[in-house]
Amino acid sequence: MDDPPGLAGSAEVRRARAVLALGGVPWDELDDGVQQVRLKLLEERAKPTRPEIRNPMAWLTVVASRVASDWHRSQNREAGLRRRLAERWSQPQTEHSVEHQVLALAVAEELESMPAAQRQVLVLRYYADLPIREIALLLQVPEGTIKSHLHTAHAAMRERLRQVEVI
């Protein structure tokens, strides 16, 4: 099995297919699994500092079982992604009232005109939903400074929204 073309013999191919099948890889994907095993064997042989493999069939079995585990992991990941996407798209889209839309646009517009420090703490607190302690750690300033910026930003936002008669 140490000759250059990986999985040269039919015994090695049969062993790889058997381990993959026992590992739960479906029949129609066994050939792809065997190719992955072959690729991993060739990659290992290409390493210049690799130690000598004492039991090639045992090593092939381990590689094939890892390929089967990788297959299951990828299937679980894809199934989870499909499930989350289906849940997200099956939720009814809520219609917002005109008043709510006007308020959201006014807040976004006012955020753009605020000083950077005030805008930053408002966004981190209310859009990123971070607690004051975490904001202080992220910005490397005392919690009191964050509270002060939030207080000033709230007052400025409230005043601006009153001026444009949104609230």
Side-chain angles (χ1 to χ4, degrees):
M1 180 131 153
D2 259 348
D3 53 342
L7 296 180
S10 61
E12 288 92 359
V13 172
R14 284 195 310 271
R15 169 73 62 99
R17 287 179 65 83
V19 171
L20 290 168
L22 289 172
V25 176
W27 285 101
D28 60 334
E29 297 192 29
L30 285 180
D31 290 335
D32 291 337
V34 169
Q35 291 303 322
Q36 288 178 11
V37 171
R38 182 174 281 136
L39 178 64
K40 290 184 183 299
L41 293 172
L42 290 173
E43 286 173 348
E44 187 63 28
R45 287 191 185 123
K47 293 180 182 176
T49 59
R50 80 167 172 88
E52 184 68 27
I53 298 171
R54 285 186 266 163
N55 187 342
M57 284 299 260
W59 191 74
L60 175 128
T61 303
V62 169
V63 171
S65 68
R66 287 182 183 158
V67 167
S69 293
D70 291 347
W71 181 86
H72 281 289
R73 234 180 270 120
S74 72
Q75 294 301 308
N76 289 338
R77 190 173 28 251
E78 289 175 17
L81 178 61
R82 281 192 295 273
R83 187 187 75 253
R84 286 191 305 274
L85 285 173
E87 286 172 3
R88 180 175 219 166
W89 289 108
S90 68
Q91 294 174 354
Q93 300 297 321
T94 57
E95 288 285 327
H96 295 291
S97 67
V98 174
E99 294 84 17
H100 184 84
Q101 292 173 3
V102 169
L103 178 62
L105 289 172
V107 167
E109 193 173 293
E110 295 307 323
L111 273 173
E112 288 181 18
S113 66
M114 293 185 116
Q118 291 178 1
R119 180 176 54 247
Q120 187 176 39
V121 294
L122 280 176
V123 168
L124 289 173
R125 180 70 179 109
Y126 297 106
Y127 288 94
D129 199 29
L130 296 177
I132 291 172
R133 174 172 284 156
E134 195 168 333
I135 296 170
L137 289 172
L138 283 172
L139 300 180
Q140 298 178 345
V141 296
E143 287 183 41
T145 302
I146 300 301
K147 291 177 183 178
S148 175
H149 284 313
L150 278 172
H151 178 75
T152 306
H154 282 139
M157 180 67 76
R158 190 173 19 259
E159 180 59 33
R160 288 183 179 127
L161 293 177
R162 283 189 180 134
Q163 287 174 357
V164 293
E165 299 177 358
V166 175
I167 59 170

